[in-house]
Amino acid sequence: MKKTLNFSKGFIPCTILSIAIIIFGLVGMFTRGVNLGIDFKPGLIEEVRVAPPVAEVTYSGAAKVSLDLSAGQLDVILSGVGTTNETRSINFNEVTTVSALATELNKIDGVNMVVKNGSFPTTKLFLNSAATNQLTTTTLYIYPAGTSEITTDDVRDALASLEGISIKQLGNGADASYQIRAGVDGEESGDVTAKINDNLYNKFGKEKVAIVKTDFIGSSFSHSIALKSIIMFVLTVTLIWLYAAIRFHWDFALGSVIALMHDTLIMMTFIIWTQMEFSTTVLAAVLTIIGYSINATVVILDRIRYNLKFMTEAKSFNEILNKSLSDTLVRSILTTVTTLFAVVALFVFTTGSIKDFSLALIVGLISGAYSSIFISSAFISACRKNWRPEFGVHHSLKAVKADE
């Protein structure tokens, strides 16, 4: 026979602990605030890399020439006056070094590529594409990946004179790039971008700074996303409550919703105090945990309902709760731990928004397992404080006893 653990002893202490953590999160909300991503507030976000270029490319003709570089090839797009409209592709399986790439590019009329590091492999190159990929009278630089020699502190020092700037490192070591965010209105975005870039150019040299990506989101769009996210969350929780109420009982349903709200607030407490960027990716993690948590809770509720029918000798509702939680404990632990293996792997081997997504999931998975056992059960126990054994006896069992 399986040993029945006395989970009910932990209901009150765990409830007090959870309330304390949630209050801690509310304090953080007012003192630190939520580090909203650009999806939820107007602002500018720019990703930069700093590295010495391996080559400089210029064009002296009358046509329009642009370069598109991927890990597998370089496309040279020619159009306009002085040339036929065409795209010439240079395959990096055949052209493996910067020197060989220069030989191919210099065959195009008016294109001149000056090599600074000819031995670097072509598969690890990138362009200053967010600034421009057009070959004009100005120089277009080609950069080598994995050669950065700066740190987040260096970027922070370069932008120290600007207010409202946040910096986040993406990647590690020589492969790192830096995400720079500034909360601005649409009319100011151009000025702020120019100031950020000028400071970086002054610190590291214009030829060494590559603008990988630049995005801007307006206030109306950010407010719309925030409103839709709130509506989506409320609808999700409401539908889950309706499902649980129809399948089980109102107190079971409300207990499951309280567990979901608990998990959401615990995750928000973690996000607030770590100042993790709250982006649409992190919101997806919160909604994922809601689905995961309700699944774990429903398994426990189903076992409680089953034991209510057949534990005819139970003297208290907590006895049924303890038996139900003990019956499902191994399943709850194995499910959580198995899922954690995959999520921890994501956290260890990824960067950027996926790393934040996986970290939020780790916190949510642990909180979800905890709340399914202690928080929802504690609420149901409180609702059925005056439960009597006869309330839990199935009608068919009553009939059998009556016949006897």
Side-chain angles (χ1 to χ4, degrees):
M1 178 182 278
K2 249 182 210 181
K3 183 179 179 180
T4 300
L5 302 176
N6 193 359
F7 288 97
S8 58
K9 280 188 176 181
F11 288 167
I12 293 177
C14 288
T15 301
I16 294 172
L17 175 63
S18 292
I19 291 173
I21 294 174
I22 291 168
I23 291 174
F24 186 59
L26 292 174
V27 171
M29 172 76 76
F30 292 106
T31 57
R32 294 171 66 88
V34 181
N35 182 22
L36 293 174
I38 195 170
D39 297 329
F40 296 102
K41 69 176 183 180
L44 168 77
I45 189 167
E46 181 172 274
E47 183 182 345
V48 301
R49 285 188 172 191
V50 179
V54 293
E56 302 173 356
V57 188
T58 55
Y59 177 67
S60 58
K64 292 182 179 178
V65 181
S66 61
L67 303 181
D68 283 336
L69 192 152
S70 65
Q73 66 182 33
L74 175 70
D75 293 326
V76 185
I77 304 163
L78 301 97
S79 61
V81 179
T83 187
T84 56
N85 293 336
E86 61 175 320
T87 299
R88 300 185 188 182
S89 298
I90 301 174
N91 193 316
F92 291 160
N93 289 327
E94 301 170 359
V95 179
T96 58
T97 65
V98 173
S99 293
L101 178 62
T103 301
E104 294 298 318
L105 275 181
N106 288 335
K107 292 178 182 179
I108 301 173
D109 291 339
V111 174
N112 181 38
M113 179 171 172
V114 178
V115 177
K116 294 188 175 184
N117 184 351
S119 62
F120 198 86
T122 51
T123 53
K124 294 184 178 181
L125 299 177
F126 63 92
L127 291 171
N128 194 4
S129 54
T132 181
N133 66 342
Q134 300 291 321
L135 281 175
T136 61
T137 54
T138 58
T139 302
L140 185 63
Y141 295 102
I142 298 179
Y143 295 93
T147 60
S148 176
E149 297 178 352
I150 70 165
T151 65
T152 307
D153 289 336
D154 295 326
V155 179
R156 190 171 286 113
D157 289 341
L159 303 176
S161 62
L162 302 179
E163 296 182 357
I165 301 290
S166 62
I167 300 162
K168 181 178 181 181
Q169 180 175 318
L170 307 177
N172 298 307
D175 284 319
S177 62
Y178 300 91
Q179 186 184 82
I180 302 166
R181 196 182 71 210
V184 294
D185 293 329
E187 297 177 356
E188 302 173 352
S189 60
D191 294 338
V192 173
T193 303
K195 289 178 181 177
I196 290 173
N197 293 344
D198 287 343
N199 281 33
L200 293 173
Y201 296 154
N202 292 335
K203 175 74 173 181
F204 306 112
K206 186 173 183 178
E207 75 284 353
K208 292 185 178 181
V209 178
I211 313 299
V212 179
K213 181 174 66 175
T214 301
D215 291 316
F216 176 78
I217 185 168
S219 57
S220 59
F221 184 65
S222 62
H223 291 160
S224 174
I225 291 179
L227 179 61
K228 289 177 180 178
S229 299
I230 293 171
I231 293 173
M232 179 171 57
F233 177 81
V234 172
L235 285 176
T236 300
V237 173
T238 302
L239 290 173
I240 288 173
W241 176 79
L242 285 173
Y243 161 77
I246 293 170
R247 180 170 178 180
F248 301 106
H249 193 260
W250 72 266
D251 53 349
F252 282 28
L254 196 52
S256 65
V257 168
I258 287 173
L260 297 183
M261 296 303 297
H262 167 274
D263 296 338
T264 302
L265 292 172
I266 294 296
M267 290 179 74
M268 288 304 301
T269 297
F270 178 81
I271 290 166
I272 288 168
W273 282 102
T274 60
Q275 285 296 284
M276 178 190 294
E277 182 178 88
F278 189 81
S279 62
T280 50
T281 304
V282 174
L283 174 63
V286 174
L287 294 176
T288 300
I289 289 302
I290 288 176
Y292 180 91
S293 181
I294 191 61
N295 179 63
T297 303
V298 163
V299 170
I300 294 173
L301 296 181
D302 197 55
R303 176 57 63 172
I304 295 171
R305 182 175 62 175
Y306 175 86
N307 286 335
L308 272 171
K309 294 177 181 178
F310 298 104
M311 287 182 66
T312 57
E313 304 301 321
K315 296 179 181 180
S316 69
F317 187 73
N318 278 350
E319 187 177 332
I320 294 174
L321 276 178
N322 290 331
K323 179 67 169 64
S324 302
L325 292 170
S326 298
D327 289 345
T328 56
L329 180 62
V330 173
R331 184 263 180 202
S332 299
I333 292 175
L334 288 178
T335 304
T336 302
V337 170
T338 304
T339 310
L340 275 173
F341 283 149
V343 177
V344 169
L346 272 179
F347 176 73
V348 173
F349 297 110
T350 60
T351 59
S353 60
I354 299 301
K355 197 175 189 73
D356 289 344
F357 173 79
S358 56
L359 182 56
L361 280 182
I362 290 171
V363 175
L365 285 169
I366 296 171
S367 174
Y370 161 82
S371 67
S372 296
I373 295 172
F374 291 105
I375 303 304
S376 62
S377 300
F379 176 81
I380 296 169
S381 174
C383 288
R384 302 204 175 197
K385 188 175 181 180
N386 297 321
W387 182 87
R388 294 288 181 272
E390 62 269 19
F391 296 160
V393 179
H394 192 264
H395 61 84
S396 61
L397 297 179
K398 284 183 178 179
V400 170
K401 286 188 175 184
D403 291 339
E404 291 176 352

